[in-house]
Amino acid sequence: MSDGSLLAGLEPRSFWGHFEALTKIARPSRHEEPVIEHVRAWAAANGLEVKQDAGRNLVIPVPATPGRESADTIILQGHLDMVCEKEPSSPNDPAEGRIVLQRDGDWLSADGTTLGADDGVAIAAMMALVEDASLPHGPLELLMTVAEEVGLEGANALDGSLLTGSVLLNLDSEEDGRLTVGCAGSTDTWIRITTAREPAADGAASLSVSVSGGAGGHSGSGIALGRSNAVKVLGRALREAHETVPFRLVSLDGGKSRNAIPRDAAAVVSVAADREADFRSAIETANATIRDAFAKTDAGVSVAVSPGEAAADPWSDAATTTLLDAVALVPTGPLAMSPDFDGLVETSTSLGEAITEGDQLTLHSLSRSSNDAAMPDVIATLDAVAGLAGGTLEEKFNYGGWRPNLDSAALAAGKTVYERLFGERPIVTAVHAGLESAVIAGKVEHDLDMLSFGPQIEFPHSPDERVSIPTVERFWRLLVGFVDEASKPAGA
Ligand SMILES: [Zn+2]
């Protein structure tokens, strides 16, 4: 770090030096070669061997400091890639290694771009820790993954046989003061229902029914906020209208991503011209009830009718009933709460997308649980919906959950060190979303005792990304304290 650096004078000095060096190296997901070379050169300079798997993840074994040789091996883990976002007008671009640091009091950010504190802090901390011979630790394995930000691709391709450690410290948490001890696994499912279309009745009117205005949000961490799911709201309004006004469904589409609660959905229906007014008023009635249902949790949601494109062959009457029943049956929302943490969802499922293609309606859900044993029942429910509707279920297991273990030795050591250093208790928690550690645990043959923590990082993945400088020092002290505590010889 040069003396003129914005970071001059910050502690720990060697951490900030490594962090600043990383801001000058392009490391977008799937294009980590320059930063891999940087790490290789650093390892060579420090006499360390670098192992790399076919997925391009790095594992760097580090010998224990004197007297700590018999301790359990700890895996320190973070990801090499970063989300490279920029303001359109900014000349800076992380994808080309141009991050210009800026400081606002205790906050460090980048001018017009993402900062890459997610997860540059992990890589810089590993390097600074290993270099400093005065910091005691047992045998370590530095696990630096690639392509975390694109669906945990690197971790998914990890060769777990490169790892021998029994404790894993994930350094990719973004909330200071917290020790994270669990996360959700996930499975995607697609219900596919192919059913008959028939020519539209003579003179039928074509109408479009659309849902918009909901707040949406992350389908895992935001699943218990009571937000409306536009596909479910659309299905509900249509089904309610269908009880009094016959119509035939032409198409039903909504949602943009498996990961987000759908905010928009639209259907086209074919209705007898002399029942159009009745249909409109039935949707209006449904809209009023739906808005009332979400008055406190998603007040913006609404259902509207407009003229639709003429459709020659809607689904048949029977098919329409089946499809609306299927949408009504697909569960969405929290299914079980955590037995360990108040207010945390353990199991949920979210209907993320509805897609009409020809005669087929596809309903794509993402189900999550930190309790792997709970998941088969969720999948069975979706499978039953598919079965009742005469359709099929395709299932894709992504990764298992990380089930909180409150008796974990790693957690006990983390709490002890935290309390000793900061004179207060950490918040022990879990997240209802995916973390790389869950994937990694699934790739390693032996059991891993896992813990995750990090400094305070706000607005990650956006040009507003910033890291709190004082919490970086706390993060560093906790990391140093942990590897010391966990490697102390018995009775010391
Ligand atoms: Zn990250």
Side-chain angles (χ1 to χ4, degrees):
M1 193 178 355
S2 66
D3 286 346
S5 165
L6 205 67
L7 304 176
L10 291 185
E11 295 294 336
R13 190 175 161 79
S14 99
F15 168 91
W16 287 112
H18 284 299
F19 186 85
E20 187 170 27
L22 289 169
T23 65
K24 298 184 166 70
I25 301 169
R27 50 192 167 105
S29 305
R30 301 182 181 133
H31 300 281
E32 296 88 353
E33 282 67 28
V35 71
I36 288 173
E37 281 318 303
H38 174 75
V39 170
R40 281 186 180 282
W42 167 83
N46 286 276
L48 298 169
E49 176 199 2
V50 178
K51 300 177 186 177
Q52 188 169 27
D53 65 13
R56 300 182 301 119
N57 303 293
L58 304 182
V59 176
I60 305 173
V62 178
T65 53
R68 303 295 177 100
E69 294 83 356
S70 60
D72 290 341
T73 298
I74 296 177
I75 303 162
L76 303 180
Q77 184 259 320
H79 59 90
L80 289 162
D81 61 318
M82 67 173 280
V83 173
C84 297
E85 287 289 324
K86 65 190 284 283
E87 304 281 10
S89 61
S90 175
N92 303 324
D93 189 354
E96 294 176 3
R98 277 201 314 284
I99 291 173
V100 175
L101 296 174
Q102 57 185 17
R103 249 179 99 174
D104 179 10
D106 279 344
W107 292 96
L108 181 71
S109 62
D111 182 7
T113 72
T114 41
L115 171 65
D118 171 14
D119 193 18
V121 293
I123 307 301
M126 289 185 215
M127 293 168 124
L129 172 70
V130 167
E131 273 172 13
D132 189 338
S134 74
L135 301 174
H137 58 76
L140 302 175
E141 288 169 332
L142 312 182
L143 170 57
M144 302 182 183
T145 57
V146 296
E148 188 269 353
E149 302 286 7
V150 284
L152 315 180
E153 250 177 36
N156 270 301
L158 177 70
D159 176 359
S161 71
L162 296 182
L163 296 167
T164 64
S166 54
V167 176
L168 182 138
L169 268 195
N170 167 281
L171 308 175
D172 192 20
S173 281
E174 290 159 358
E175 282 182 282
D176 174 57
R178 285 176 187 244
L179 301 178
T180 298
V181 295
C183 77
S186 76
T187 296
D188 281 273
T189 56
W190 294 262
I191 295 172
R192 294 203 173 86
I193 307 163
T194 303
T195 181
R197 288 182 181 272
E198 290 173 358
D202 286 343
S206 196
L207 297 172
S208 170
V209 183
S210 58
V211 176
S212 61
H218 189 275
S219 70
S221 52
I223 197 68
L225 299 176
R227 301 273 165 79
S228 63
N229 177 311
V231 176
K232 291 288 287 181
V233 165
L234 177 62
R236 172 178 171 178
L238 291 172
R239 200 167 180 281
E240 285 179 19
H242 200 241
E243 283 166 14
T244 53
V245 185
F247 65 81
R248 285 161 57 195
L249 197 56
V250 176
S251 63
L252 193 157
D253 295 274
K256 288 193 177 72
S257 146
R258 60 200 273 279
N259 240 330
I261 297 169
R263 301 174 59 223
D264 297 285
V268 175
V269 303
S270 179
V271 57
D274 62 351
R275 301 302 303 276
E276 177 178 337
D278 294 338
F279 179 80
R280 285 178 178 270
S281 87
I283 293 290
E284 221 165 274
T285 304
N287 179 42
T289 320
I290 288 163
R291 287 179 59 81
D292 187 29
F294 289 101
K296 284 199 173 174
T297 55
D298 203 2
V301 66
S302 72
V303 192
V305 182
S306 59
E309 252 176 62
D313 58 343
W315 274 299
S316 68
D317 281 322
T320 296
T321 301
T322 298
L323 296 174
L324 293 180
D325 283 353
V327 175
L329 279 170
V330 172
T332 206
L335 298 173
M337 303 304 286
S338 164
D340 299 310
F341 303 110
D342 280 349
L344 181 75
V345 176
E346 179 177 77
T347 304
S348 74
T349 185
S350 177
L351 173 54
E353 290 180 295
I355 303 153
T356 300
E357 286 168 311
D359 295 347
Q360 183 173 279
L361 178 69
T362 300
L363 301 171
H364 179 189
S365 296
L366 182 59
S367 306
R368 308 172 194 264
S369 184
S370 55
N371 179 358
D372 288 346
M375 199 66 111
D377 192 37
V378 182
I379 306 305
T381 304
L382 294 161
D383 186 50
V385 175
L388 286 170
T392 59
L393 186 84
E394 185 193 338
E395 175 184 343
K396 180 176 165 279
F397 170 81
N398 298 311
Y399 45 89
W402 168 13
R403 196 173 183 171
N405 171 15
L406 299 182
D407 300 322
S408 141
L411 173 60
K415 279 172 147 171
T416 300
V417 174
Y418 190 99
E419 290 181 32
R420 188 196 300 144
L421 288 173
F422 308 126
E424 57 180 15
R425 289 185 174 185
I427 296 168
V428 177
T429 188
V431 294
H432 192 57
L435 290 177
E436 269 188 311
S437 8
V439 182
I440 293 163
K443 301 286 176 185
V444 176
E445 293 283 327
H446 54 273
D447 283 345
L448 286 180
D449 188 2
M450 306 196 290
L451 187 65
S452 177
F453 56 79
Q456 189 74 22
I457 296 174
E458 296 187 343
F459 317 116
H461 305 181
S462 89
D464 297 324
E465 180 185 358
R466 60 181 194 167
V467 63
S468 155
I469 293 167
T471 68
V472 169
E473 190 169 0
R474 285 161 55 87
F475 161 65
W476 169 257
R477 292 173 65 199
L478 185 57
L479 174 63
V480 167
F482 184 92
V483 295
D484 176 16
E485 178 74 20
S487 64
K488 277 183 183 158

